Amino acid sequence: MAGNIVLRLENVARAYKEADRELVILKDAGFTLRRGEMVALVAPSGAGKSTLLHTAGLLERPDSGDVILDGRSCKDLSDEDRTAIRRNDIGFVYQFHHLLPEFSALENVMMPQMIRGLDRKVAAERAQMLLDYMKIGKRASHRPAELSGGEQQRVAIARAVANAPLVLLADEPTGNLDPTTSTYVFGALEALVRQSGLSALIATHNHDLARRMDRVVTLRDGKVVDL
């Protein structure tokens, strides 16, 4: 059911030069993400989780192979077109929130919408709605330094989905939080993904959180395999 697949990696290879040798990270890797599916990516540090996410999210070009987003091949796209796809169709959440410190929580969530060209009032209304959904609406006027780690990450999640992307890619989104806060933040993320119909690929070391997703994959010998 090709129409049900929102993200597909086909024979993706990625290697880096390290001193006098080549370090192979991905080798003929294939992966599919279906609409509304939530997939956990669990693998040891250094196995290539971030490389896979960066390649899937068009932050890095594969050495060979293709990334197909919603049926569109990205192999030969210009940097400008790749940037537009990242802005409009892909949401990113990282272990560290990367919020802009000089702006409030509301303004941080407004920012990607305004870059896309939305009216400031419309962007503010959607930003407030998302912050309310993440149960942090009352902190909308606070700057990141005035928020707890869990609150900052919830703002980052709201920002990632502000433009209603097709795909959410998250790299250890709760890895910098204590266990209680991690569980709470992941619960908010999971609810948002489930209720919005987003497709999500989430790298995590937390096996308890991984088991809550639809399926779990890992990286083995440069390939993506199901667990």
Side-chain angles (χ1 to χ4, degrees), residues 123-136:
E125 289 173 352
R126 177 164 172 77
Q128 186 64 56
M129 179 190 71
L130 286 167
L131 291 173
D132 287 342
Y133 187 89
M134 298 298 291
K135 296 182 171 55
I136 197 175

Side-chain angles (χ1 to χ4, degrees), residues 18-179:
E18 188 178 82
D20 59 346
R21 69 189 182 102
E22 186 178 63
L23 185 63
V24 176
I25 304 298
L26 302 175
K27 183 179 180 182
D28 293 326
F31 172 73
T32 58
L33 181 66
R34 296 173 179 82
R35 296 184 190 280
E37 187 179 34
M38 199 171 185
V39 177
L41 172 61
V42 177
S45 295
K49 296 190 299 296
S50 294
T51 297
L52 179 68
L53 289 170
H54 290 171
T55 303
L58 308 186
L59 289 168
E60 295 184 24
R61 288 184 183 270
D63 299 322
S64 61
D66 198 3
V67 177
I68 299 168
L69 184 68
D70 202 27
R72 182 185 187 186
S73 169
C74 299
K75 180 169 55 176
D76 298 320
L77 293 180
S78 67
D79 289 341
E80 183 179 2
D81 286 340
R82 289 165 67 91
T83 298
I85 290 174
R86 287 197 305 269
R87 181 177 62 240
N88 300 331
D89 297 328
I90 303 172
F92 296 92
V93 182
Y94 300 98
Q95 180 173 350
F96 299 100
H97 55 77
H98 298 299
L99 299 174
L100 298 172
E102 65 272 29
F103 294 102
S104 69
L106 185 76
E107 291 166 336
N108 266 279
V109 182
M110 289 171 61
M111 199 68 64
Q113 300 177 73
M114 294 179 67
I115 291 172
R116 189 175 184 176
L118 264 68
D119 175 78
R120 184 180 182 87
K121 183 174 184 293
V122 174
E125 289 173 352
R126 177 164 172 77
Q128 186 64 56
M129 179 190 71
L130 286 167
L131 291 173
D132 287 342
Y133 187 89
M134 298 298 291
K135 296 182 171 55
I136 197 175
K138 292 181 179 178
R139 308 280 278 166
S141 63
H142 290 68
R143 293 184 180 182
E146 301 170 309
L147 302 174
S148 70
E151 289 172 336
Q152 291 170 348
Q153 198 64 321
R154 280 182 279 160
V155 175
I157 292 168
R159 180 184 59 184
V161 301
N163 280 336
L166 293 170
V167 174
L168 180 69
L169 302 173
D171 195 353
E172 298 287 353
T174 63
N176 200 37
L177 305 174
D178 65 79

